[in-house]
Amino acid sequence: MSIFSGAGGLDIGAINAGAQIVVCVENDPDAAQTLRLNNIGGHQSAVLEKSVETVDFTHWRDDSETILIGGPPCQPFSKNGYWVKNDNRLIAGDPRNMLGQYLRAVSELQPTGFLFENVESIRHPTNIAVFERFLHDAEAMGYACTVYRANSADFGVPQKRKRVFVFGIRGAKNPIPHPHKTHSDPGKPELMNGFAPHVGVGSFIKKYSGQRYAEPQEDASNGTYYHELIHVPAGKNYIALSGLDNYSGRTFRAGGRFWNFLQKLHPEEPAITIAAQPGPWVGPFHWDNRRLRVPEVAAIQTFPDDYKFAGNRRSIQKQIGNAVPCLLGEVMVRHLLEKL
């Protein structure tokens, strides 16, 4: 059972890991339609277009081997929230904090195991008390919990995307071990230890470089910072401008902008994290000095080539940016299934 399903990144991963999706719960109309377009769950009625808060999970409780997967909304735990003073953030009372609803689903469904996903910053000092309460309550319900911080690039995804996973196993005496990563940063030889090098984006998005896939939104040539963008070397961001020879244009103080400002892809390196709602000059940009196309963004998130997305361009970007990379989801779900 999948809750907070979004566009189905974790669901696709679960299917590829050998699980069968019985039902998805997603309240965003476009994301729910995306799930239907791709036949997630095998039939249209498998997608419940409603808030998790309104679902009675006891309906699906049975004696078979069932797992619950999902990532509650991460906005309350996002790094963007660090600009707000701690005494004004009220994480525990934030209506977008759905950790309690995830626990209710666990309590009512009583799955054999669960996989919880969220942003890395859920473990930030501002958020850690809420997260530790989540773990305490899950363990009180009889689940041994393993917390794992994953970088998707360490599992063959062409993107550096850090996420926290919690593996819960009902009735287990001890937490399960962490998954074994398969790739590592070749720029840090001391960490390779026989791992394959991180995968670059080039081989994933090359097929979408022709005019057939061109989008009006990709053109940045009339924008405020286009002159600066074309001078940023592949794989770098705005900071690189200060070190260029024979460059005549604006430079920016290091730390004066968000790190992803004017960030550009390098074909032989993983992308930075794909954002759900990027600003106009937030990367990654293509090394051809344009914004990325929908199939390119989806490929970096390792969605299947023929995956369909519902909604307008803004909605699709949000769906893809909020998703768990399918390949990372596959590895995590398979690890859970193997330990049940």
Side-chain angles (χ1 to χ4, degrees):
M1 185 166 191
S2 165
I3 60 177
F4 309 107
S5 304
L10 194 53
D11 300 61
I12 291 294
I15 292 168
N16 291 341
Q20 175 188 353
I21 302 296
V22 176
V23 63
C24 316
V25 182
E26 174 53 49
N27 70 337
D28 179 79
D30 287 343
Q33 182 61 13
T34 292
L35 296 170
R36 296 188 193 101
L37 287 174
N38 295 282
N39 203 32
I40 302 300
H43 51 90
Q44 297 291 299
S45 60
V47 179
L48 296 185
E49 188 179 325
K50 57 175 61 179
S51 172
V52 168
E53 297 169 282
T54 67
V55 177
D56 178 2
F57 295 96
T58 60
H59 179 74
W60 291 274
R61 184 193 300 177
D62 58 36
D63 296 327
S64 63
E65 191 172 88
T66 304
I67 63 171
L68 177 72
I69 61 174
C74 62
Q75 294 95 331
F77 314 110
S78 169
K79 288 182 179 179
N80 291 334
Y82 297 167
W83 295 101
V84 181
K85 291 182 179 179
N86 288 359
D87 56 355
N88 290 331
R89 293 190 67 200
L90 300 175
I91 293 299
D94 192 317
R96 300 169 301 173
N97 175 6
M98 290 286 175
L99 270 63
Q101 291 299 320
Y102 193 102
L103 288 170
R104 183 179 65 83
V106 172
S107 176
E108 294 182 0
L109 185 65
Q110 295 186 15
T112 310
F114 70 79
L115 179 65
F116 167 94
E117 177 269 343
N118 220 277
V119 291
E120 179 190 34
S121 48
I122 197 171
R123 300 180 71 184
H124 184 271
T126 300
N127 307 322
I128 192 64
V130 173
F131 183 56
E132 288 183 344
R133 181 69 187 185
F134 170 85
L135 296 174
H136 174 272
D137 289 351
E139 289 168 351
M141 287 190 282
Y143 290 84
C145 294
T146 299
V147 178
Y148 180 62
R149 175 181 171 271
N151 182 343
S152 60
D154 290 341
F155 295 91
V157 177
Q159 180 186 182
K160 295 177 180 177
R161 188 183 189 93
K162 296 177 181 178
R163 287 295 185 270
V164 167
F165 290 89
V166 178
F167 299 88
I169 305 291
R170 190 179 69 197
K173 294 182 179 179
N174 299 296
I176 65 173
H178 290 168
H180 295 294
K181 71 177 190 176
T182 54
H183 295 66
S184 192
D185 185 351
K188 300 177 180 178
E190 71 278 6
L191 300 179
M192 290 304 292
N193 296 324
F195 295 119
H198 283 166
V199 179
V201 296
S203 61
F204 282 76
I205 69 173
K206 182 180 180 180
K207 67 184 78 173
Y208 304 115
S209 61
Q211 279 301 113
R212 173 186 173 188
Y213 298 99
E215 299 174 2
Q217 299 92 336
E218 74 186 48
D219 183 14
S221 61
N222 292 321
T224 306
Y225 297 108
Y226 185 69
H227 177 74
E228 289 72 25
L229 175 67
I230 63 177
H231 287 89
V232 172
K236 303 295 183 181
N237 66 3
Y238 74 97
I239 297 175
L241 296 171
S242 300
L244 298 179
D245 296 329
N246 302 316
Y247 165 69
S248 59
R250 282 174 289 191
T251 59
F252 308 89
R253 175 179 57 85
R257 298 275 175 161
F258 282 112
W259 61 275
N260 49 15
F261 178 63
L262 301 181
Q263 178 76 36
K264 193 180 289 184
L265 294 175
H266 190 293
E268 297 178 2
E269 299 173 359
I272 62 170
T273 300
I274 297 297
Q277 295 175 297
W281 295 100
V282 168
F285 288 85
H286 196 279
W287 52 84
D288 286 339
N289 303 310
R290 59 172 175 80
R291 298 183 179 93
L292 295 180
R293 301 163 177 178
V294 164
E296 292 171 332
V297 179
I300 291 171
Q301 285 279 58
T302 62
F303 277 98
D305 291 349
D306 59 351
Y307 207 74
K308 303 176 182 67
F309 295 93
N312 59 29
R313 181 63 174 80
R314 183 181 181 86
S315 173
I316 291 172
Q317 176 75 36
K318 183 178 179 180
Q319 291 176 58
I320 298 174
N322 280 332
V324 176
C326 302
L327 179 55
L328 179 63
E330 178 181 348
V331 173
M332 296 299 122
V333 173
R334 179 175 289 115
H335 187 69
L336 175 65
L337 294 175
E338 290 174 349
K339 304 302 179 183
L340 293 179

